Amino acid sequence: MTTTNHDKATATTATGPGWTKVSCPCCVSERVEPLVLVKLGEKVRPETKRWLIKLIGTPQKEGGAALLAHPGEDATGDIIMVSAPRCTLLQATEELGLCKTYNTGEMETFSYDDRDNFRHSGKQIFLTLAERQYIIKYELEGLRARRDVRIPGLADNYTLQHRDNIWQKMTSAGVVVETFPLHNRARLKELSKSWYSGNQLSQPLDSVNAYFGSTVGFYFSFLDFYTWSLLPPAILGLCITYFSMAGSQAEIHEEDAGLTASGHMIQAVFSMLWSTVFMELWKRRSSSQSYRWGTLHLAERFAEPRPGFHGHLGMNPVTGRMEPLFPEWQRDLRMALVSIPVVGLFLGMVVLGMLCFYWGENQVMWLHDGWDSMVSQTLLYAPSVLHIVYTNMLATVYKRVAQSLTEFENHREESAFQNHLTAKVLVFTFFNYFAVLFHIAFVKQDVPLLRKRLASLLIVTQLVNQVTEVVVPFLVDHFISAPHRTETEDDPEEDKFRNQITLPVFPGLFAEYIELLVQFGYLSLFSCVYPLTAVLLLINNVMEIRSDAYKICKLFRKPFSAPAANMGVWQIAFEILSFVAVVSNCWLLTLSPQLQRMHHEGQMSNTDIVLMAILAEHVLIVVKVIVAALIPDEPEWVRKKRAHMQYTSMQALRQQVSTIAVHSLLLQDK
Amino acid sequence: MTTTNHDKATATTATGPGWTKVSCPCCVSERVEPLVLVKLGEKVRPETKRWLIKLIGTPQKEGGAALLAHPGEDATGDIIMVSAPRCTLLQATEELGLCKTYNTGEMETFSYDDRDNFRHSGKQIFLTLAERQYIIKYELEGLRARRDVRIPGLADNYTLQHRDNIWQKMTSAGVVVETFPLHNRARLKELSKSWYSGNQLSQPLDSVNAYFGSTVGFYFSFLDFYTWSLLPPAILGLCITYFSMAGSQAEIHEEDAGLTASGHMIQAVFSMLWSTVFMELWKRRSSSQSYRWGTLHLAERFAEPRPGFHGHLGMNPVTGRMEPLFPEWQRDLRMALVSIPVVGLFLGMVVLGMLCFYWGENQVMWLHDGWDSMVSQTLLYAPSVLHIVYTNMLATVYKRVAQSLTEFENHREESAFQNHLTAKVLVFTFFNYFAVLFHIAFVKQDVPLLRKRLASLLIVTQLVNQVTEVVVPFLVDHFISAPHRTETEDDPEEDKFRNQITLPVFPGLFAEYIELLVQFGYLSLFSCVYPLTAVLLLINNVMEIRSDAYKICKLFRKPFSAPAANMGVWQIAFEILSFVAVVSNCWLLTLSPQLQRMHHEGQMSNTDIVLMAILAEHVLIVVKVIVAALIPDEPEWVRKKRAHMQYTSMQALRQQVSTIAVHSLLLQDK
């Protein structure tokens, strides 16, 4: 924007060997750090590569991305390294609505015109590595053809039309195969030292956010908060287990037995309140973290269609532009006639699995009755284990099916796609993991079976997860991939970057969140039956923090991470679960040993027990709603900061409008 | 903004006899319609009045309101009439974020710079009467002192300090007594003809919105929609009543009796579903109306402190300005130690009233048993009637108490004040109107008593309301006030306007909404007990539409009405009620005659019935949530229009920012 003709002459100084030139004098620097690697197709012709490099380096007002590009070893190689000059970064920071430290020490929404009043705005540390890499992705994916252009070295059917998204077209033409951010070895080493290789208890969340971005930052922050929040229920669980064991050893004392039985109730009521308070406190922590990470006031943007979206060309009623349109009713029809039946089919397979499990359970019981030995004792656990394995396999298959179904529904926006996919997976996950438990609890009303089942689920699932998630990739990485990827200090930088291509793509946080959600379900829905749940989860999560950190640092390519203000849809999923927990716990209470004994002794009728549970349910839901309303979602100071940011941006807007008016007057006068 | 020195010279043409001059040539017009009347205190000196008139007429950049003022009959009179020139109106339209018809025929957020592309933007009909009057209020109440000013004719303690709100200070100094919009006799006559004086079934809602503004528009639109939505439950209620009467006359047929009893269930399930669908459809209608009335995309503004707010001077952390601050914890303390106990006391008085009612009920029963006659028959209704009167009186007292309590809580913003007041009144209203009914239904489990009580409540409350709301003001207006206010065609205009001062202030829509809410409560919570509820409400509401319309047109001063996009907090109140309705209906079902008979015949145990009700409750709540989610809150076309508006305003913003950049470059070059 600030470039005029005489600036261009001074801007021809090199910015680093091999890099494209910057057009802006303030962005010239001696040394350029490669941030993003673009992997090209093998058959891409050199002229196409040159065209692409030139496009990346062209200023924005001429239709380019205003970034820096480097052709790798030579002009014929199949990689392009990309970096970004200062002005492009700062302009994108304003566009994204990121907040940065102002010279008053407060966070303010960044404004390019006011950049000199922001601390460190001239230095590299102003933006985190993750932010700089995301901005490059944002600029590349936002490239649009200004007019119809034939791309050198490509067939005619890939000619760009006006307003075509260039990066999408390049990807579908096979020119661009992959675009991913590069690891920074030195900073990664530093991060991993303070994160998981020592015995430290707290995670360096700010550094995680700076290196991996706020999406990843929020996941680890939540994992951290959740793990430490497990301490109170774990301690309670240990106490209850201790007292109930003491009670069962000395069953003569009437009072002790009463104490033991009421442990069930204490645990149930406690876990309901705990889950509510936990979610509220997390929201507070999340919002103050969002303030610190500068994502409290992100700009809303009009969403472009996602790459896979297709339809008939028509005028978009929102933008008034020609683009592919897909009628809403057709999408609804596809959902109603295809998606829902298929999802239903899978839910049916869950039920089928459940029936088989009962059949198996009966068989081993019968076997054990006839042939009482250690083997048959062990066999008692076989149906549970088999069923858990079946459940996990079904979940894996379903995940792919859900992906294709959502693809078939042809959503226009990426966010709609993600929401529908998440909803599908969540419904199935709830059903798959919890249907059996609910059936045992409320249809069979068999507390000992429920307890056994819960224990085996907790132990087996966690073992399986740790093995499949970490041990297998670790072994593959060390003994299969690594020998091909020996790396010495003397290798050229390009080769080290190129090596990152061989790492597998990071699979995203979806599976991690699902795992936490299922855990949280066991704990909040059923923990009163098996008080040691929280203890087992606590142990698992302390390990999980380390293994997840190791995984994301070492085993995968670095992922892009868009700035985020919270956990998004997962927050809602956890809240729904903590709501269902109230209902579940109230009904589990009616199965509590104490009430059952009172029923047998004739002190309470069945109706009384049920009415008591209803009353408890309604009262506790009201208490939950009130507690949730009384604890504000944001700490007072964050609320004020947010109001302040909104106020200043409103003021700035008004100022801009009046500035324009003044300018137009001045121009008219001249 | 567009005024330069040479413009001022041409602007001295008169805009109407006695009116202040406009500084902008495009706003000069022959005839000015007085829109708002400012009533001054009796002791206000002429120099103060002159100063105020001058202030109102001064352009905004010199610290005035840029409106038009007229001193009434002469300079010493105690009124000022205010109107607004075109440019002020259009600028405020942009500030408020109102939408207007673009030359494409679509509604677009109004932009002053682009005004020539909006249809009729040069004519008076561009803004509705209500909008023009609200803008005058908005400008007057937004007046702030630019520097310390001594006001002529006032004592020194009323000297304005920098940034003082002038209108608030003038009001507290007794200079300005009242500010209210003027009726336009001709248009009012036209409106009343098409609204309530004929036999028309539909209301002229667009004209109501144009004349009274969208707050009033939405109330009448809701009343209209609600009334016609009563048709299905009313028809069902009539059918059920007919069949049950036929059934009771021929009780020999077993099947008929079954049909009758199941009427109870049909009504319960129907009213649950009806209330959900009703609220969803209303939201859709409300949003399309909001589009038509141009309030879909209102600008958010930073709220100024309300007039009654006081505190110690300090720096507001949001704006960075010095203003009175009141610590949050002190407000919380006041709420916890004063508001909650007092509200509790009133709820206690409700319970006391209920106990007295039961005592009275027993007394008349005992009396009737001893002395069976027409008189004692009538006396049976006495406790109910007395209790209803007590209830209504308590509600009136409470309303004042709630007002003072909320005042004492010292909320900074008007919206917070209103929300706390509404919450207080709603809690009490629910308790006051429904506590007895819930007690009868669930503690006493006495369906006949519930039915009797509901019938008397419906009939008595409605009669009382119609009388106190319309008949009394009508009589007062016609026989007490009117003789002092005879008006002839020959009277000067000023006198006619002055006469409007004698009308009482419009009491607002709070009481009207409460009335509808209570009605809706009877219907959705208990209608299955008394199927004729909907019929009675339908009749009442058809009358209510007319009487409310008559009231607002004839009996009160015209109220100001801020542009609104929906019913606001009332929407939430109705939704909560329709949620409680599910719970209530499910438990009323357990009292249904059919189930009770099955219980007596031993077909079902008590536990079975309770379990059935629980199952029904949970299933119906899930169904309700799903239905609410499946019916989108906005019609598809409104969603698209809204997205389009957001998109264009985002584009406009981006364009402005780049325009500024270009301008600064141009200016630098010169």
Side-chain angles (χ1 to χ4, degrees):
Chain A
M1 293 283 178
T2 54
T3 328
T4 55
N5 280 337
H6 80 271
D7 284 344
K8 262 190 182 154
T10 61
T12 42
T13 31
T15 53
W19 288 94
T20 48
K21 309 289 175 277
V22 285
S23 54
C24 169
C26 61
C27 301
V28 178
S29 73
E30 281 300 299
R31 173 118 187 83
V32 180
E33 182 192 9
L35 294 173
V36 168
L37 193 135
V38 178
K39 168 122 171 40
L40 304 178
E42 283 179 16
K43 290 179 187 162
V44 173
R45 314 259 302 262
E47 59 262 40
T48 314
K49 185 175 173 182
R50 270 199 301 276
W51 177 82
L52 203 58
I53 288 178
K54 186 157 173 290
L55 179 78
I56 293 171
T58 308
Q60 279 179 343
K61 60 173 185 281
E62 290 162 30
L67 298 171
L68 299 167
H70 189 288
E73 309 91 332
D74 54 53
T76 54
D78 62 350
I79 57 168
I80 297 177
M81 291 187 300
V82 186
S83 191
R86 184 173 156 256
C87 279
T88 308
L89 287 174
L90 293 187
Q91 270 159 3
T93 307
E94 171 168 346
E95 261 179 63
L96 294 173
L98 291 174
C99 298
K100 291 285 160 191
T101 319
Y102 205 63
N103 57 17
T104 56
E106 310 261 314
M107 299 292 269
E108 300 274 356
T109 317
F110 181 73
S111 149
Y112 182 74
D113 289 330
D114 196 21
R115 60 189 175 279
D116 296 333
N117 283 323
F118 283 84
R119 282 192 193 158
H120 312 303
S121 70
K123 300 183 198 154
Q124 213 188 36
I125 54 159
F126 182 65
L127 288 166
T128 67
L129 180 64
E131 281 166 350
R132 281 179 285 146
Q133 289 174 331
Y134 177 74
I135 287 172
I136 291 178
K137 174 185 150 92
Y138 169 78
E139 295 292 352
L140 290 179
E141 294 186 347
L143 279 174
R144 285 186 173 277
R146 290 280 170 112
R147 53 182 186 280
D148 295 7
V149 176
R150 232 196 119 267
I151 301 163
L154 275 190
D156 276 348
N157 54 339
Y158 291 115
T159 299
L160 288 172
Q161 261 120 44
H162 176 61
R163 284 205 51 76
D164 262 1
N165 185 313
I166 299 177
W167 212 251
Q168 279 181 22
K169 199 109 180 189
M170 290 296 100
T171 309
S172 65
V175 174
V176 172
V177 179
E178 274 164 320
T179 314
F180 63 91
L182 288 165
H183 271 300
N184 178 321
R185 294 279 165 212
R187 299 185 57 183
L188 187 61
K189 205 166 181 180
E190 202 178 304
L191 179 65
S192 64
K193 204 185 279 173
S194 64
W195 200 3
Y196 60 84
S197 50
N199 285 320
Q200 58 280 82
L201 283 176
S202 66
Q203 299 182 64
L205 291 173
D206 288 341
S207 313
V208 173
N209 170 59
Y211 191 82
F212 283 109
S214 44
T215 317
V216 176
F218 274 114
Y219 168 71
F220 281 100
S221 173
F222 181 72
L223 182 55
D224 186 70
F225 184 73
Y226 173 47
T227 304
W228 298 121
S229 302
L230 283 172
L231 270 181
I235 291 169
L236 184 74
L238 282 176
C239 293
I240 287 174
T241 314
Y242 174 76
F243 281 118
S244 71
M245 276 164 66
S248 62
Q249 279 167 5
E251 242 174 303
I252 327 123
H253 302 289
E254 261 291 301
E255 285 170 42
D256 272 15
L259 192 78
T260 312
S262 62
H264 191 106
M265 283 189 192
I266 294 170
Q267 182 88 34
V269 173
F270 176 83
S271 87
M272 278 181 278
L273 293 178
W274 174 82
S275 65
T276 308
V277 173
F278 163 66
M279 280 315 293
E280 289 300 312
L281 292 183
W282 162 249
K283 277 189 234 163
R284 289 170 73 90
R285 169 161 154 152
S286 155
S287 71
S288 58
Q289 227 141 21
S290 165
Y291 173 76
R292 211 169 52 244
W293 295 347
T295 59
L296 199 58
H297 200 216
L298 292 176
E300 274 178 50
R301 274 165 299 152
F302 179 74
E304 295 291 334
R306 57 188 298 269
F309 178 70
H310 53 87
H312 291 290
L313 218 62
M315 200 192 73
N316 186 323
V318 175
T319 57
R321 287 204 202 108
M322 292 302 278
E323 62 169 47
L325 296 180
F326 187 72
E328 199 72 30
W329 63 266
Q330 216 165 323
R331 184 173 303 132
D332 290 346
L333 206 69
R334 286 185 180 187
M335 281 195 240
L337 295 185
V338 181
S339 300
I340 292 178
V342 172
V343 172
L345 187 77
F346 270 87
L347 298 186
M349 283 168 74
V350 173
V351 176
L352 194 75
M354 197 163 80
L355 293 179
C356 290
F357 162 68
Y358 288 130
W359 178 83
E361 190 88 345
N362 279 333
Q363 294 293 315
V364 290
M365 279 292 196
W366 175 80
L367 204 72
H368 181 60
D369 281 350
W371 178 45
D372 193 356
S373 74
M374 271 298 278
V375 180
S376 69
Q377 185 82 35
T378 321
L379 264 180
L380 276 182
Y381 280 90
S384 296
V385 173
L386 277 177
H387 185 240
I388 291 165
V389 172
Y390 171 77
T391 294
N392 277 311
M393 274 171 49
L394 203 61
T396 313
V397 175
Y398 179 79
K399 220 176 289 169
R400 281 165 194 275
V401 173
Q403 186 89 27
S404 338
L405 281 178
T406 320
E407 203 79 58
F408 175 68
E409 286 166 16
N410 198 19
H411 294 278
R412 185 182 173 282
E413 280 127 47
E414 186 61 32
S415 60
F417 179 86
Q418 288 300 339
N419 287 345
H420 276 88
L421 181 60
T422 310
K424 280 195 193 65
V425 176
L426 281 186
V427 165
F428 179 79
T429 308
F430 268 76
F431 214 81
N432 195 17
Y433 283 92
F434 298 125
V436 180
L437 295 176
F438 274 112
H439 184 264
I440 297 173
F442 300 120
V443 182
K444 292 196 154 190
Q445 308 205 339
D446 184 346
V447 176
L449 180 62
L450 185 62
R451 188 171 296 138
K452 197 176 82 183
R453 181 96 186 137
L454 205 57
S456 54
L457 264 176
L458 281 168
I459 296 163
V460 174
T461 316
Q462 290 178 6
L463 278 180
V464 169
N465 272 335
Q466 297 283 354
V467 170
T468 53
E469 279 185 20
V470 183
V471 181
V472 171
F474 176 81
L475 293 178
V476 169
D477 182 62
H478 262 240
F479 297 101
I480 303 177
S481 319
H484 308 285
R485 211 174 54 217
T486 44
E487 193 169 282
T488 64
E489 287 290 316
D490 307 330
D491 278 351
E493 276 286 299
E494 283 80 14
D495 278 7
K496 288 189 190 162
F497 293 138
R498 184 182 289 278
N499 277 339
Q500 293 186 28
I501 303 177
T502 58
L503 288 172
V505 175
F506 183 68
L509 296 165
F510 202 101
E512 310 291 337
Y513 272 120
I514 284 274
E515 201 186 321
L516 288 188
L517 193 72
V518 171
Q519 276 195 5
F520 185 71
Y522 291 146
L523 181 65
S524 58
L525 297 175
F526 301 106
S527 73
C528 63
V529 173
Y530 185 59
L532 288 180
T533 309
V535 182
L536 286 176
L537 292 182
L538 185 61
I539 296 168
N540 177 70
N541 281 4
V542 170
M543 286 174 7
E544 179 92 17
I545 290 176
R546 271 131 224 282
S547 66
D548 279 355
Y550 171 75
K551 219 165 66 177
I552 197 170
C553 288
K554 292 285 176 189
L555 303 185
F556 296 103
R557 271 187 222 163
K558 192 173 178 223
F560 279 114
S561 148
N566 50 47
M567 293 203 297
V569 67
W570 295 103
Q571 185 116 356
I572 300 164
F574 276 91
E575 282 189 79
I576 291 175
L577 202 52
S578 87
F579 204 86
V580 176
V582 177
V583 181
S584 156
N585 274 297
C586 282
W587 296 105
L588 281 177
L589 270 185
T590 62
L591 304 178
S592 82
Q594 198 179 24
L595 282 181
Q596 291 298 325
R597 203 175 48 242
M598 282 170 85
H599 175 53
H600 286 304
E601 289 169 5
Q603 288 172 24
M604 283 179 98
S605 74
N606 239 332
T607 316
D608 287 344
I609 292 179
V610 172
L611 282 176
M612 224 191 65
I614 294 165
L615 195 72
E617 190 197 64
H618 286 75
V619 167
L620 279 164
I621 285 180
V622 171
V623 167
K624 189 182 165 66
V625 171
I626 290 176
V627 167
L630 280 186
I631 305 180
D633 285 2
E634 288 180 330
E636 183 64 16
W637 66 269
V638 174
R639 203 183 56 69
K640 280 189 183 142
K641 300 276 185 199
R642 184 198 286 277
H644 172 71
M645 280 177 198
Q646 270 159 3
Y647 177 77
T648 40
S649 66
M650 253 191 294
Q651 290 297 98
L653 187 63
R654 199 162 289 181
Q655 202 127 27
Q656 278 176 1
V657 174
S658 54
T659 315
I660 291 179
V662 171
H663 280 175
S664 355
L665 279 179
L666 285 170
L667 289 174
Q668 275 168 19
D669 283 1
K670 289 182 184 180
Chain B
M1 292 287 179
T2 55
T3 326
T4 54
N5 280 338
H6 81 274
D7 284 343
K8 262 191 185 156
T10 62
T12 42
T13 30
T15 53
W19 287 95
T20 50
K21 312 285 174 281
V22 285
S23 54
C24 170
C26 62
C27 298
V28 178
S29 73
E30 282 299 299
R31 171 120 188 84
V32 180
E33 183 193 8
L35 293 174
V36 168
L37 193 136
V38 178
K39 168 123 171 43
L40 303 178
E42 282 180 16
K43 291 182 185 159
V44 173
R45 314 258 302 262
E47 58 260 41
T48 314
K49 185 174 172 183
R50 270 199 301 277
W51 177 82
L52 202 60
I53 288 178
K54 187 157 172 290
L55 178 78
I56 294 171
T58 308
Q60 279 181 343
K61 60 172 184 285
E62 290 161 31
L67 297 171
L68 297 168
H70 189 289
E73 308 91 331
D74 54 53
T76 54
D78 61 350
I79 58 168
I80 299 177
M81 290 187 299
V82 187
S83 190
R86 185 173 155 256
C87 280
T88 309
L89 287 174
L90 294 186
Q91 271 161 2
T93 308
E94 170 167 346
E95 260 180 64
L96 294 173
L98 291 173
C99 298
K100 291 287 160 190
T101 320
Y102 206 64
N103 57 17
T104 55
E106 309 262 314
M107 299 293 268
E108 300 275 356
T109 317
F110 181 73
S111 149
Y112 181 74
D113 289 331
D114 196 21
R115 61 188 175 280
D116 295 334
N117 282 323
F118 283 83
R119 281 192 194 160
H120 312 302
S121 69
K123 300 183 198 152
Q124 211 186 36
I125 54 158
F126 182 65
L127 289 165
T128 67
L129 180 64
E131 282 166 351
R132 281 179 286 146
Q133 289 173 330
Y134 177 75
I135 286 172
I136 290 179
K137 175 185 149 92
Y138 169 78
E139 294 294 352
L140 290 179
E141 293 186 346
L143 279 175
R144 287 187 172 276
R146 289 280 169 113
R147 54 181 187 281
D148 295 6
V149 175
R150 230 196 121 268
I151 300 163
L154 275 190
D156 276 348
N157 54 338
Y158 290 116
T159 299
L160 289 172
Q161 261 122 43
H162 175 64
R163 283 205 51 77
D164 263 0
N165 185 314
I166 299 177
W167 212 250
Q168 278 182 21
K169 200 109 181 188
M170 289 297 100
T171 310
S172 65
V175 174
V176 171
V177 180
E178 273 164 320
T179 313
F180 64 91
L182 288 165
H183 271 301
N184 179 322
R185 293 281 164 210
R187 298 184 59 182
L188 186 61
K189 207 166 179 181
E190 205 178 300
L191 178 65
S192 65
K193 205 186 281 175
S194 64
W195 200 3
Y196 60 85
S197 51
N199 285 319
Q200 59 280 84
L201 283 175
S202 66
Q203 299 182 64
L205 291 173
D206 288 341
S207 311
V208 172
N209 170 60
Y211 190 83
F212 283 109
S214 43
T215 318
V216 175
F218 274 113
Y219 168 72
F220 281 100
S221 172
F222 181 71
L223 181 55
D224 187 68
F225 184 73
Y226 172 48
T227 304
W228 298 120
S229 301
L230 284 172
L231 269 181
I235 292 169
L236 184 74
L238 281 177
C239 293
I240 287 174
T241 313
Y242 173 77
F243 281 118
S244 71
M245 275 163 67
S248 61
Q249 279 166 2
E251 242 173 305
I252 326 122
H253 302 289
E254 259 293 302
E255 283 169 42
D256 272 15
L259 192 78
T260 311
S262 60
H264 191 107
M265 282 187 190
I266 294 170
Q267 182 89 33
V269 173
F270 176 83
S271 87
M272 278 180 281
L273 294 178
W274 174 83
S275 64
T276 310
V277 173
F278 163 67
M279 280 316 293
E280 289 301 311
L281 292 183
W282 161 249
K283 276 189 233 163
R284 290 170 72 89
R285 169 161 152 152
S286 154
S287 70
S288 57
Q289 227 140 23
S290 163
Y291 172 75
R292 212 168 53 243
W293 294 347
T295 59
L296 199 58
H297 200 216
L298 291 176
E300 275 178 51
R301 274 165 299 151
F302 179 72
E304 295 292 333
R306 59 189 297 270
F309 178 70
H310 53 87
H312 290 292
L313 217 63
M315 201 193 72
N316 185 323
V318 175
T319 58
R321 287 207 202 105
M322 292 301 278
E323 63 168 46
L325 295 179
F326 187 73
E328 199 72 31
W329 64 266
Q330 215 166 324
R331 184 173 303 132
D332 290 345
L333 206 69
R334 286 185 179 187
M335 280 196 241
L337 295 186
V338 181
S339 299
I340 293 178
V342 172
V343 172
L345 186 77
F346 270 86
L347 298 185
M349 282 169 74
V350 172
V351 175
L352 193 75
M354 197 163 78
L355 293 178
C356 289
F357 162 68
Y358 287 129
W359 178 81
E361 190 89 345
N362 279 332
Q363 295 294 313
V364 289
M365 279 291 196
W366 174 79
L367 203 71
H368 180 62
D369 281 348
W371 179 45
D372 193 356
S373 73
M374 274 296 280
V375 180
S376 68
Q377 184 84 33
T378 321
L379 264 179
L380 276 181
Y381 280 91
S384 298
V385 173
L386 277 176
H387 184 241
I388 291 165
V389 171
Y390 171 79
T391 294
N392 276 309
M393 275 170 48
L394 203 63
T396 313
V397 175
Y398 179 79
K399 221 177 288 170
R400 280 165 194 273
V401 173
Q403 185 89 28
S404 338
L405 282 177
T406 318
E407 203 79 58
F408 175 68
E409 285 166 15
N410 198 17
H411 294 279
R412 185 182 173 282
E413 281 127 47
E414 185 61 33
S415 61
F417 179 86
Q418 288 300 339
N419 288 344
H420 276 88
L421 181 61
T422 309
K424 279 195 194 65
V425 175
L426 280 186
V427 165
F428 178 79
T429 308
F430 268 75
F431 214 81
N432 195 18
Y433 283 92
F434 298 125
V436 180
L437 294 177
F438 274 112
H439 183 263
I440 297 173
F442 299 121
V443 181
K444 291 195 153 188
Q445 308 205 340
D446 184 345
V447 176
L449 181 62
L450 185 62
R451 188 172 297 139
K452 197 177 83 183
R453 182 95 187 138
L454 203 58
S456 55
L457 264 175
L458 282 169
I459 295 164
V460 174
T461 316
Q462 289 178 7
L463 278 179
V464 170
N465 272 334
Q466 297 284 353
V467 169
T468 53
E469 279 184 21
V470 184
V471 180
V472 172
F474 176 81
L475 292 178
V476 169
D477 181 62
H478 263 240
F479 297 101
I480 303 176
S481 319
H484 307 287
R485 210 172 57 216
T486 44
E487 196 168 278
T488 63
E489 288 289 315
D490 307 329
D491 279 352
E493 277 287 297
E494 282 80 15
D495 278 7
K496 288 190 191 162
F497 293 138
R498 184 182 288 277
N499 277 340
Q500 293 187 26
I501 303 178
T502 59
L503 288 172
V505 175
F506 183 69
L509 296 164
F510 202 100
E512 310 291 336
Y513 272 120
I514 283 273
E515 201 187 320
L516 287 189
L517 193 71
V518 170
Q519 276 196 5
F520 184 72
Y522 292 146
L523 181 65
S524 59
L525 298 174
F526 301 107
S527 74
C528 64
V529 173
Y530 184 58
L532 288 180
T533 309
V535 181
L536 286 176
L537 291 182
L538 184 61
I539 296 168
N540 177 70
N541 281 4
V542 169
M543 286 175 4
E544 180 92 17
I545 291 176
R546 272 131 223 282
S547 65
D548 280 355
Y550 171 75
K551 220 165 65 178
I552 198 170
C553 288
K554 291 285 176 187
L555 301 185
F556 297 103
R557 271 187 223 162
K558 194 176 176 216
F560 279 115
S561 148
N566 50 47
M567 293 205 296
V569 66
W570 296 102
Q571 184 115 357
I572 301 164
F574 277 90
E575 283 191 78
I576 291 175
L577 201 54
S578 88
F579 203 85
V580 177
V582 178
V583 181
S584 156
N585 273 298
C586 283
W587 296 105
L588 279 177
L589 270 185
T590 61
L591 305 178
S592 83
Q594 198 179 24
L595 282 180
Q596 291 297 324
R597 203 174 49 241
M598 284 171 83
H599 175 51
H600 286 305
E601 289 168 6
Q603 289 173 23
M604 283 180 98
S605 74
N606 239 333
T607 315
D608 288 344
I609 292 179
V610 172
L611 282 176
M612 223 189 64
I614 295 165
L615 196 71
E617 191 198 63
H618 286 75
V619 168
L620 279 164
I621 286 180
V622 171
V623 167
K624 189 182 164 67
V625 171
I626 291 176
V627 167
L630 279 187
I631 304 180
D633 284 2
E634 289 180 330
E636 183 64 18
W637 66 270
V638 174
R639 204 183 56 68
K640 279 186 184 146
K641 300 276 184 198
R642 184 197 287 277
H644 172 72
M645 281 177 197
Q646 271 161 2
Y647 177 77
T648 40
S649 66
M650 253 191 296
Q651 292 296 99
L653 186 64
R654 199 162 289 180
Q655 201 128 27
Q656 278 176 1
V657 173
S658 54
T659 314
I660 291 179
V662 171
H663 280 175
S664 358
L665 280 178
L666 283 172
L667 288 173
Q668 276 168 19
D669 283 1
K670 288 181 185 182

